[in-house]
Each structure stands twice: as C-alpha cells, then as structure tokens.
Amino acid sequence: MSFIQIEGLHAGYGQSEILRRIDLGIEEGEALAVVGKNGAGKSTLLMSFFGGTVIRRGTIEVDGVPLQGRPGYLAAQHGVSISPQGRLILPHLSVRENLLLGAAGGRRGHWTLERIYALFPVLHERRERPGTALSGGQQQMVAVGRALMANPRVLLLDEPSEGLSPVMVDELARIFVAVRAAGTGLLIVEQHLSLVRRVSERFVVMAKGEIIARGATRDIDAEQHRAALAF
C-alpha cells in the first residue's frame, strides 16, 4: 500500500457531492500533479485530508491510518501538511512567526527554521517583517516554508503558482525539486503545466469531480491527454 492511499472517494460540502470515484496512491519521495480547470474539484480533494469535506463513501489513508470521520489534525500528525491556495499568511505575525506556526504540531524531522532559511534566503533577510508586507512570490515561500516546518512526509501544494510571474514560477520549480531531493514527496494541484512538467513524475486530470485521465508526466502532451485537459 502507498503512503497515501485514496480509494473510491466520494466527498463534498453539506448536501453537495463534489468528488466521485477518486482513486490515488502516492509514495513518499515522489511527486504527483493534479491538473484540470477551475471547479474540477482539485482543492476539494486536498481539503478532504483535513476534515474540510463530508466524506460520503470511500477511504483516505495516510501511512495505513484512515482519516475519514477523524479529527482534521490527524493527517498532519501522520506526515501530511498543506500549503493552501491563497497562502493564508497571518498579517499580524512576522515572517519568522508565520514559519514557526508550522511547527506547532511538534512533529520531528529535518525541516528546521535554519533549513527553511537556507532554502529561502530572502525569508531570513526579512524574517522580522510582517508576513503580508512581502511580495506575492515571497509570501508563497512563507506558505511553503510554514508547511515544511510541520515536517511532512508528503507536502500538499494548492495552486502554488497562482498570480506569480514566470520568473517566480521558475524559482518555485527549483525549490520543489530541492524539497523532493531532501526526501519529501509532493502532491501538487496546479494549472501551470510548465511547473508540472519540471516537478512531477505522474499526473492525473480531474474534471467535474472525477479523474478522467492519468499517466507519466513525460507523456502529458500526448494527444489523448490534451483532450482530457481541454475537457
């Protein structure tokens, strides 16, 4: 069984079912991209790890531990953290304080504040500035660094390139490759296919809450996958 194992997942919000028949497996150290248009259910999939949806059927397991019907913090305890869409930087805290929030769960590992600063030198330079006083790209670094401070075995990334310049997207690609090289896996929700190609090994395409295609990222430009991405 994979470190993350999702089987037959049906989930949504309230009475609305958004996800249907989702099957995914993710190993530690690998990178899987979830692509698709807005409204496909990609972010809903990530929220299902943390109790943010109603799971009606199927299972999500992390390291063999089922998450459905359990407290939202359980995923973090067992090695899954998230850099959320929109970054959610707390404005009244400094960069350093925002980063330290990620370590609140007390999970041990090699991602320390010093190592985050080595990965993102600009955050060390601006560590005492308010988190929201940074540029959009630097705020994304804070969001990723904060999630890494939880010492995940797999890091979930929700639209990390949203609103960023091509130069910043290139920098994120470099960072994500370095994170993987350090042994942390990635599950990345992303529409920027250039970033997907550089970071991930496998991909799935979601549309209307279902997975409609999957394959190796090297084949993402094949005709059948282009048709799925356009759906």
Side-chain angles (χ1 to χ4, degrees):
M1 180 178 290
S2 301
F3 174 67
I4 290 176
Q5 190 71 40
I6 304 173
E7 295 183 354
L9 182 66
H10 290 241
Y13 307 103
Q15 299 301 311
S16 299
E17 186 173 83
I18 307 298
L19 304 177
R20 294 175 294 278
R21 297 181 290 275
I22 301 296
D23 294 301
L24 278 179
I26 308 162
E27 301 290 350
E28 285 187 82
E30 78 163 325
L32 171 68
V34 181
V35 299
K37 294 185 176 180
N38 288 334
K42 306 184 302 295
S43 294
T44 299
L45 174 61
L46 299 192
M47 289 300 99
S48 296
F49 282 84
F50 305 101
T53 66
V54 177
I55 295 179
R56 303 184 183 282
R57 201 186 325 163
T59 60
I60 301 180
E61 294 187 0
V62 173
D63 200 19
V65 177
L67 302 182
Q68 59 276 11
R70 310 282 293 277
Y73 56 77
L74 194 64
Q77 285 185 340
H78 289 274
V80 174
S81 67
I82 185 169
S83 174
Q85 187 175 21
R87 301 157 195 153
L88 303 184
I89 305 302
L90 296 184
H92 59 287
L93 297 182
S94 68
V95 168
R96 181 181 62 84
E97 291 167 334
N98 268 283
L99 291 172
L100 287 174
L101 279 178
R107 183 178 165 82
R108 294 185 178 182
H110 59 268
W111 290 111
T112 62
L113 193 58
E114 291 71 26
R115 191 159 185 180
I116 297 300
Y117 286 152
L119 187 64
F120 304 106
V122 68
L123 299 187
H124 182 259
E125 296 170 10
R126 304 183 182 190
R127 60 191 180 277
E128 299 305 329
R129 296 187 64 181
T132 51
L134 306 185
S135 69
Q138 291 164 358
Q139 288 185 41
Q140 187 62 60
M141 292 178 184
V142 174
V144 172
R146 181 180 58 197
L148 287 173
M149 287 288 290
N151 275 293
R153 293 162 70 180
V154 173
L155 171 62
L156 312 187
L157 297 158
D158 196 354
E159 302 283 5
S161 75
E162 186 176 55
L164 301 185
S165 69
V167 171
M168 192 63 232
V169 173
D170 288 343
E171 179 65 7
L172 283 182
R174 180 196 67 78
I175 289 163
F176 295 153
V177 169
V179 168
R180 283 198 61 206
T184 302
L186 303 175
L187 173 57
I188 178 170
V189 162
E190 182 57 69
Q191 296 191 59
H192 199 298
L193 292 187
S194 174
L195 181 60
V196 168
R197 291 186 189 98
R198 284 179 282 177
V199 171
S200 67
E201 297 164 316
R202 296 189 294 122
F203 74 96
V204 300
V205 181
M206 288 188 66
K208 297 182 178 180
E210 300 186 37
I211 293 175
I212 61 171
R214 64 180 77 214
T217 304
R218 64 177 178 272
D219 300 323
I220 198 169
D221 295 313
E223 183 176 352
Q224 71 269 29
H225 297 320
R226 289 204 304 271
L229 287 165
F231 184 72

mmCIF file with all atom_site columns, all heavy atoms in Angstrom, residues 116-130:
data_model
loop_
_atom_site.group_PDB
_atom_site.id
_atom_site.type_symbol
_atom_site.label_atom_id
_atom_site.label_alt_id
_atom_site.label_comp_id
_atom_site.label_asym_id
_atom_site.label_entity_id
_atom_site.label_seq_id
_atom_site.pdbx_PDB_ins_code
_atom_site.Cartn_x
_atom_site.Cartn_y
_atom_site.Cartn_z
_atom_site.occupancy
_atom_site.B_iso_or_equiv
_atom_site.pdbx_formal_charge
_atom_site.auth_seq_id
_atom_site.auth_comp_id
_atom_site.auth_asym_id
_atom_site.auth_atom_id
_atom_site.pdbx_PDB_model_num
ATOM 1   N N   . ILE A 1 116 ? 14.888 26.015 6.515  1.00 0.00 ? 116 ILE A N   1
ATOM 2   C CA  . ILE A 1 116 ? 13.964 26.804 5.697  1.00 0.00 ? 116 ILE A CA  1
ATOM 3   C C   . ILE A 1 116 ? 14.650 28.079 5.219  1.00 0.00 ? 116 ILE A C   1
ATOM 4   O O   . ILE A 1 116 ? 14.525 28.471 4.048  1.00 0.00 ? 116 ILE A O   1
ATOM 5   C CB  . ILE A 1 116 ? 12.683 27.138 6.490  1.00 0.00 ? 116 ILE A CB  1
ATOM 6   C CG1 . ILE A 1 116 ? 11.924 25.869 6.870  1.00 0.00 ? 116 ILE A CG1 1
ATOM 7   C CG2 . ILE A 1 116 ? 11.788 28.078 5.677  1.00 0.00 ? 116 ILE A CG2 1
ATOM 8   C CD1 . ILE A 1 116 ? 11.482 25.023 5.716  1.00 0.00 ? 116 ILE A CD1 1
ATOM 9   N N   . TYR A 1 117 ? 15.403 28.726 6.095  1.00 0.00 ? 117 TYR A N   1
ATOM 10  C CA  . TYR A 1 117 ? 16.127 29.934 5.692  1.00 0.00 ? 117 TYR A CA  1
ATOM 11  C C   . TYR A 1 117 ? 17.178 29.621 4.628  1.00 0.00 ? 117 TYR A C   1
ATOM 12  O O   . TYR A 1 117 ? 17.436 30.442 3.734  1.00 0.00 ? 117 TYR A O   1
ATOM 13  C CB  . TYR A 1 117 ? 16.791 30.581 6.901  1.00 0.00 ? 117 TYR A CB  1
ATOM 14  C CG  . TYR A 1 117 ? 15.839 31.294 7.842  1.00 0.00 ? 117 TYR A CG  1
ATOM 15  C CD1 . TYR A 1 117 ? 16.148 31.416 9.196  1.00 0.00 ? 117 TYR A CD1 1
ATOM 16  C CD2 . TYR A 1 117 ? 14.663 31.868 7.381  1.00 0.00 ? 117 TYR A CD2 1
ATOM 17  C CE1 . TYR A 1 117 ? 15.297 32.086 10.072 1.00 0.00 ? 117 TYR A CE1 1
ATOM 18  C CE2 . TYR A 1 117 ? 13.803 32.540 8.248  1.00 0.00 ? 117 TYR A CE2 1
ATOM 19  C CZ  . TYR A 1 117 ? 14.117 32.634 9.587  1.00 0.00 ? 117 TYR A CZ  1
ATOM 20  O OH  . TYR A 1 117 ? 13.278 33.301 10.444 1.00 0.00 ? 117 TYR A OH  1
ATOM 21  N N   . ALA A 1 118 ? 17.789 28.451 4.705  1.00 0.00 ? 118 ALA A N   1
ATOM 22  C CA  . ALA A 1 118 ? 18.763 28.069 3.678  1.00 0.00 ? 118 ALA A CA  1
ATOM 23  C C   . ALA A 1 118 ? 18.080 27.847 2.332  1.00 0.00 ? 118 ALA A C   1
ATOM 24  O O   . ALA A 1 118 ? 18.646 28.158 1.276  1.00 0.00 ? 118 ALA A O   1
ATOM 25  C CB  . ALA A 1 118 ? 19.496 26.799 4.107  1.00 0.00 ? 118 ALA A CB  1
ATOM 26  N N   . LEU A 1 119 ? 16.851 27.321 2.370  1.00 0.00 ? 119 LEU A N   1
ATOM 27  C CA  . LEU A 1 119 ? 16.090 27.091 1.141  1.00 0.00 ? 119 LEU A CA  1
ATOM 28  C C   . LEU A 1 119 ? 15.560 28.398 0.568  1.00 0.00 ? 119 LEU A C   1
ATOM 29  O O   . LEU A 1 119 ? 15.502 28.582 -0.652 1.00 0.00 ? 119 LEU A O   1
ATOM 30  C CB  . LEU A 1 119 ? 14.931 26.133 1.430  1.00 0.00 ? 119 LEU A CB  1
ATOM 31  C CG  . LEU A 1 119 ? 14.107 25.619 0.254  1.00 0.00 ? 119 LEU A CG  1
ATOM 32  C CD1 . LEU A 1 119 ? 14.959 24.759 -0.680 1.00 0.00 ? 119 LEU A CD1 1
ATOM 33  C CD2 . LEU A 1 119 ? 12.912 24.811 0.773  1.00 0.00 ? 119 LEU A CD2 1
ATOM 34  N N   . PHE A 1 120 ? 15.194 29.333 1.460  1.00 0.00 ? 120 PHE A N   1
ATOM 35  C CA  . PHE A 1 120 ? 14.623 30.626 1.067  1.00 0.00 ? 120 PHE A CA  1
ATOM 36  C C   . PHE A 1 120 ? 15.437 31.746 1.728  1.00 0.00 ? 120 PHE A C   1
ATOM 37  O O   . PHE A 1 120 ? 15.000 32.324 2.733  1.00 0.00 ? 120 PHE A O   1
ATOM 38  C CB  . PHE A 1 120 ? 13.170 30.740 1.529  1.00 0.00 ? 120 PHE A CB  1
ATOM 39  C CG  . PHE A 1 120 ? 12.255 29.655 1.058  1.00 0.00 ? 120 PHE A CG  1
ATOM 40  C CD1 . PHE A 1 120 ? 11.838 28.668 1.947  1.00 0.00 ? 120 PHE A CD1 1
ATOM 41  C CD2 . PHE A 1 120 ? 11.776 29.618 -0.235 1.00 0.00 ? 120 PHE A CD2 1
ATOM 42  C CE1 . PHE A 1 120 ? 10.964 27.670 1.543  1.00 0.00 ? 120 PHE A CE1 1
ATOM 43  C CE2 . PHE A 1 120 ? 10.904 28.631 -0.661 1.00 0.00 ? 120 PHE A CE2 1
ATOM 44  C CZ  . PHE A 1 120 ? 10.501 27.651 0.225  1.00 0.00 ? 120 PHE A CZ  1
ATOM 45  N N   . PRO A 1 121 ? 16.609 32.089 1.218  1.00 0.00 ? 121 PRO A N   1
ATOM 46  C CA  . PRO A 1 121 ? 17.436 33.105 1.875  1.00 0.00 ? 121 PRO A CA  1
ATOM 47  C C   . PRO A 1 121 ? 16.730 34.441 2.076  1.00 0.00 ? 121 PRO A C   1
ATOM 48  O O   . PRO A 1 121 ? 16.985 35.139 3.066  1.00 0.00 ? 121 PRO A O   1
ATOM 49  C CB  . PRO A 1 121 ? 18.635 33.235 0.922  1.00 0.00 ? 121 PRO A CB  1
ATOM 50  C CG  . PRO A 1 121 ? 18.700 31.922 0.210  1.00 0.00 ? 121 PRO A CG  1
ATOM 51  C CD  . PRO A 1 121 ? 17.279 31.482 0.055  1.00 0.00 ? 121 PRO A CD  1
ATOM 52  N N   . VAL A 1 122 ? 15.836 34.810 1.159  1.00 0.00 ? 122 VAL A N   1
ATOM 53  C CA  . VAL A 1 122 ? 15.154 36.095 1.287  1.00 0.00 ? 122 VAL A CA  1
ATOM 54  C C   . VAL A 1 122 ? 14.281 36.132 2.535  1.00 0.00 ? 122 VAL A C   1
ATOM 55  O O   . VAL A 1 122 ? 14.079 37.206 3.132  1.00 0.00 ? 122 VAL A O   1
ATOM 56  C CB  . VAL A 1 122 ? 14.317 36.400 0.024  1.00 0.00 ? 122 VAL A CB  1
ATOM 57  C CG1 . VAL A 1 122 ? 13.135 35.444 -0.105 1.00 0.00 ? 122 VAL A CG1 1
ATOM 58  C CG2 . VAL A 1 122 ? 13.844 37.849 0.017  1.00 0.00 ? 122 VAL A CG2 1
ATOM 59  N N   . LEU A 1 123 ? 13.787 34.983 2.975  1.00 0.00 ? 123 LEU A N   1
ATOM 60  C CA  . LEU A 1 123 ? 12.963 34.960 4.188  1.00 0.00 ? 123 LEU A CA  1
ATOM 61  C C   . LEU A 1 123 ? 13.815 35.203 5.432  1.00 0.00 ? 123 LEU A C   1
ATOM 62  O O   . LEU A 1 123 ? 13.336 35.773 6.418  1.00 0.00 ? 123 LEU A O   1
ATOM 63  C CB  . LEU A 1 123 ? 12.216 33.627 4.315  1.00 0.00 ? 123 LEU A CB  1
ATOM 64  C CG  . LEU A 1 123 ? 11.242 33.302 3.182  1.00 0.00 ? 123 LEU A CG  1
ATOM 65  C CD1 . LEU A 1 123 ? 10.441 32.050 3.527  1.00 0.00 ? 123 LEU A CD1 1
ATOM 66  C CD2 . LEU A 1 123 ? 10.315 34.483 2.877  1.00 0.00 ? 123 LEU A CD2 1
ATOM 67  N N   . HIS A 1 124 ? 15.062 34.774 5.392  1.00 0.00 ? 124 HIS A N   1
ATOM 68  C CA  . HIS A 1 124 ? 15.966 35.082 6.508  1.00 0.00 ? 124 HIS A CA  1
ATOM 69  C C   . HIS A 1 124 ? 16.243 36.575 6.562  1.00 0.00 ? 124 HIS A C   1
ATOM 70  O O   . HIS A 1 124 ? 16.234 37.185 7.643  1.00 0.00 ? 124 HIS A O   1
ATOM 71  C CB  . HIS A 1 124 ? 17.270 34.304 6.354  1.00 0.00 ? 124 HIS A CB  1
ATOM 72  C CG  . HIS A 1 124 ? 18.223 34.540 7.483  1.00 0.00 ? 124 HIS A CG  1
ATOM 73  N ND1 . HIS A 1 124 ? 19.296 35.393 7.384  1.00 0.00 ? 124 HIS A ND1 1
ATOM 74  C CD2 . HIS A 1 124 ? 18.244 34.052 8.756  1.00 0.00 ? 124 HIS A CD2 1
ATOM 75  C CE1 . HIS A 1 124 ? 19.952 35.412 8.526  1.00 0.00 ? 124 HIS A CE1 1
ATOM 76  N NE2 . HIS A 1 124 ? 19.337 34.616 9.383  1.00 0.00 ? 124 HIS A NE2 1
ATOM 77  N N   . GLU A 1 125 ? 16.446 37.177 5.395  1.00 0.00 ? 125 GLU A N   1
ATOM 78  C CA  . GLU A 1 125 ? 16.714 38.611 5.340  1.00 0.00 ? 125 GLU A CA  1
ATOM 79  C C   . GLU A 1 125 ? 15.535 39.415 5.880  1.00 0.00 ? 125 GLU A C   1
ATOM 80  O O   . GLU A 1 125 ? 15.728 40.462 6.513  1.00 0.00 ? 125 GLU A O   1
ATOM 81  C CB  . GLU A 1 125 ? 16.994 39.035 3.900  1.00 0.00 ? 125 GLU A CB  1
ATOM 82  C CG  . GLU A 1 125 ? 18.251 38.427 3.287  1.00 0.00 ? 125 GLU A CG  1
ATOM 83  C CD  . GLU A 1 125 ? 18.330 38.694 1.800  1.00 0.00 ? 125 GLU A CD  1
ATOM 84  O OE1 . GLU A 1 125 ? 17.513 39.503 1.292  1.00 0.00 ? 125 GLU A OE1 1
ATOM 85  O OE2 . GLU A 1 125 ? 19.198 38.097 1.136  1.00 0.00 ? 125 GLU A OE2 1
ATOM 86  N N   . ARG A 1 126 ? 14.323 38.923 5.662  1.00 0.00 ? 126 ARG A N   1
ATOM 87  C CA  . ARG A 1 126 ? 13.111 39.684 6.009  1.00 0.00 ? 126 ARG A CA  1
ATOM 88  C C   . ARG A 1 126 ? 12.323 39.022 7.133  1.00 0.00 ? 126 ARG A C   1
ATOM 89  O O   . ARG A 1 126 ? 11.128 39.245 7.261  1.00 0.00 ? 126 ARG A O   1
ATOM 90  C CB  . ARG A 1 126 ? 12.251 39.836 4.753  1.00 0.00 ? 126 ARG A CB  1
ATOM 91  C CG  . ARG A 1 126 ? 13.043 40.476 3.628  1.00 0.00 ? 126 ARG A CG  1
ATOM 92  C CD  . ARG A 1 126 ? 12.266 40.737 2.388  1.00 0.00 ? 126 ARG A CD  1
ATOM 93  N NE  . ARG A 1 126 ? 13.160 41.308 1.387  1.00 0.00 ? 126 ARG A NE  1
ATOM 94  C CZ  . ARG A 1 126 ? 12.761 41.831 0.235  1.00 0.00 ? 126 ARG A CZ  1
ATOM 95  N NH1 . ARG A 1 126 ? 11.477 41.871 -0.060 1.00 0.00 ? 126 ARG A NH1 1
ATOM 96  N NH2 . ARG A 1 126 ? 13.636 42.322 -0.618 1.00 0.00 ? 126 ARG A NH2 1
ATOM 97  N N   . ARG A 1 127 ? 13.013 38.268 7.958  1.00 0.00 ? 127 ARG A N   1
ATOM 98  C CA  . ARG A 1 127 ? 12.340 37.426 8.954  1.00 0.00 ? 127 ARG A CA  1
ATOM 99  C C   . ARG A 1 127 ? 11.539 38.206 9.979  1.00 0.00 ? 127 ARG A C   1
ATOM 100 O O   . ARG A 1 127 ? 10.577 37.675 10.549 1.00 0.00 ? 127 ARG A O   1
ATOM 101 C CB  . ARG A 1 127 ? 13.357 36.527 9.658  1.00 0.00 ? 127 ARG A CB  1
ATOM 102 C CG  . ARG A 1 127 ? 14.466 37.257 10.404 1.00 0.00 ? 127 ARG A CG  1
ATOM 103 C CD  . ARG A 1 127 ? 15.553 36.276 10.823 1.00 0.00 ? 127 ARG A CD  1
ATOM 104 N NE  . ARG A 1 127 ? 16.654 36.928 11.544 1.00 0.00 ? 127 ARG A NE  1
ATOM 105 C CZ  . ARG A 1 127 ? 17.665 37.543 10.942 1.00 0.00 ? 127 ARG A CZ  1
ATOM 106 N NH1 . ARG A 1 127 ? 17.719 37.608 9.611  1.00 0.00 ? 127 ARG A NH1 1
ATOM 107 N NH2 . ARG A 1 127 ? 18.623 38.101 11.654 1.00 0.00 ? 127 ARG A NH2 1
ATOM 108 N N   . GLU A 1 128 ? 11.885 39.470 10.239 1.00 0.00 ? 128 GLU A N   1
ATOM 109 C CA  . GLU A 1 128 ? 11.159 40.239 11.246 1.00 0.00 ? 128 GLU A CA  1
ATOM 110 C C   . GLU A 1 128 ? 10.123 41.180 10.635 1.00 0.00 ? 128 GLU A C   1
ATOM 111 O O   . GLU A 1 128 ? 9.443  41.909 11.363 1.00 0.00 ? 128 GLU A O   1
ATOM 112 C CB  . GLU A 1 128 ? 12.137 41.038 12.114 1.00 0.00 ? 128 GLU A CB  1
ATOM 113 C CG  . GLU A 1 128 ? 13.123 40.162 12.885 1.00 0.00 ? 128 GLU A CG  1
ATOM 114 C CD  . GLU A 1 128 ? 12.428 39.101 13.756 1.00 0.00 ? 128 GLU A CD  1
ATOM 115 O OE1 . GLU A 1 128 ? 11.303 39.353 14.239 1.00 0.00 ? 128 GLU A OE1 1
ATOM 116 O OE2 . GLU A 1 128 ? 13.028 38.018 13.943 1.00 0.00 ? 128 GLU A OE2 1
ATOM 117 N N   . ARG A 1 129 ? 9.960  41.122 9.341  1.00 0.00 ? 129 ARG A N   1
ATOM 118 C CA  . ARG A 1 129 ? 8.934  41.944 8.695  1.00 0.00 ? 129 ARG A CA  1
ATOM 119 C C   . ARG A 1 129 ? 7.584  41.240 8.778  1.00 0.00 ? 129 ARG A C   1
ATOM 120 O O   . ARG A 1 129 ? 7.511  40.005 8.848  1.00 0.00 ? 129 ARG A O   1
ATOM 121 C CB  . ARG A 1 129 ? 9.303  42.200 7.232  1.00 0.00 ? 129 ARG A CB  1
ATOM 122 C CG  . ARG A 1 129 ? 10.571 43.002 7.041  1.00 0.00 ? 129 ARG A CG  1
ATOM 123 C CD  . ARG A 1 129 ? 10.774 43.369 5.588  1.00 0.00 ? 129 ARG A CD  1
ATOM 124 N NE  . ARG A 1 129 ? 9.708  44.252 5.089  1.00 0.00 ? 129 ARG A NE  1
ATOM 125 C CZ  . ARG A 1 129 ? 9.634  44.703 3.836  1.00 0.00 ? 129 ARG A CZ  1
ATOM 126 N NH1 . ARG A 1 129 ? 10.551 44.335 2.944  1.00 0.00 ? 129 ARG A NH1 1
ATOM 127 N NH2 . ARG A 1 129 ? 8.661  45.501 3.465  1.00 0.00 ? 129 ARG A NH2 1
ATOM 128 N N   . PRO A 1 130 ? 6.487  41.990 8.744  1.00 0.00 ? 130 PRO A N   1
ATOM 129 C CA  . PRO A 1 130 ? 5.166  41.339 8.713  1.00 0.00 ? 130 PRO A CA  1
ATOM 130 C C   . PRO A 1 130 ? 5.047  40.438 7.492  1.00 0.00 ? 130 PRO A C   1
ATOM 131 O O   . PRO A 1 130 ? 5.512  40.781 6.392  1.00 0.00 ? 130 PRO A O   1
ATOM 132 C CB  . PRO A 1 130 ? 4.192  42.526 8.621  1.00 0.00 ? 130 PRO A CB  1
ATOM 133 C CG  . PRO A 1 130 ? 4.946  43.683 9.171  1.00 0.00 ? 130 PRO A CG  1
ATOM 134 C CD  . PRO A 1 130 ? 6.387  43.463 8.788  1.00 0.00 ? 130 PRO A CD  1
#
